[in-house]
Amino acid sequence: VIADLAAAPADAPAGGPEFVVRMVKIAGDAELLDSRNKVAARGHAIDAEFEGINRLTTATVHGTRAALAQVYSEPYGIWGERIDMSGAAQTLKVAGASRLAFRSDRSLQGDRRGAPTAVVVTAQRRLEIDAPANKVLFEGDVVATSGEETLRSDTMTLLLEN
């Protein structure tokens, strides 16, 4: 683990930390928990930058083909060889093979269901999440499954309700 620490900013609340993390590089079995943003990441290596009082601004989670990088942000799970996150822009990008899993009370056709059902979407070229726009883009041999339903396409855009 390599970390860059700095004195807490002058506007830090009384009783707050004396030092804050600016940058961290973790090699080997790496985990990063950001309780403020409710994000957890796991991979072969993680590079992350912070600002203010330990506020995550960017992170790259590295995996391998055999052991994909993982990011969890309730209710979503994301897997890929390399996952790039931007806390400031509220975006997440995976170049190459990727997978997104979550539970939804809607079918793949948009019909309401009685109970949430698992949805898994895989893509071979790209996954991009734009949280402010509530949009997820998939490219390359996209397959979405939920219960008995399967959708296949070269590209797919999901519009999220919340």
Side-chain angles (χ1 to χ4, degrees):
V1 175
I2 298 173
D4 179 22
L5 304 175
D11 62 346
E18 292 183 36
F19 296 93
V20 293
V21 177
R22 291 289 173 240
M23 175 276 304
V24 65
K25 291 182 179 285
I26 309 167
D29 290 332
E31 281 191 20
L32 178 69
L33 301 174
D34 179 1
S35 58
R36 177 178 296 155
N37 292 313
K38 299 181 182 173
V39 173
R42 176 179 289 159
H44 180 69
I46 298 175
D47 301 320
E49 294 181 3
F50 302 83
E51 64 182 25
I53 301 176
N54 301 328
R55 187 174 65 246
L56 179 66
T57 56
T58 62
T60 300
V61 186
H62 303 272
T64 65
R65 277 189 199 263
L68 296 176
Q70 305 169 31
V71 172
Y72 297 98
S73 181
E74 189 63 36
Y76 305 101
I78 300 103
W79 291 261
E81 282 189 53
R82 175 184 163 148
I83 303 172
D84 294 305
M85 299 184 298
S86 170
Q90 294 183 313
T91 59
L92 182 143
K93 297 179 182 184
V94 180
S98 59
R99 181 173 79 212
L100 172 71
F102 59 97
R103 297 184 67 74
S104 176
D105 63 356
R106 291 194 179 262
S107 72
L108 294 179
Q109 305 300 318
D111 299 326
R112 289 245 180 236
R113 292 189 167 147
T117 303
V119 176
V120 176
V121 184
T122 59
Q124 297 307 307
R125 274 196 310 272
R126 176 170 74 138
L127 175 154
E128 289 189 12
I129 298 174
D130 181 345
N134 285 332
K135 186 167 38 173
V136 183
L137 171 69
F138 300 89
E139 289 185 353
D141 299 321
V142 181
V143 178
T145 58
S146 179
E148 300 290 321
E149 298 176 291
T150 300
L151 294 176
R152 297 176 191 279
S153 179
D154 189 53
T155 63
M156 184 179 294
T157 302
L158 294 180
L159 300 177
L160 307 172
E161 287 185 321
N162 46 13

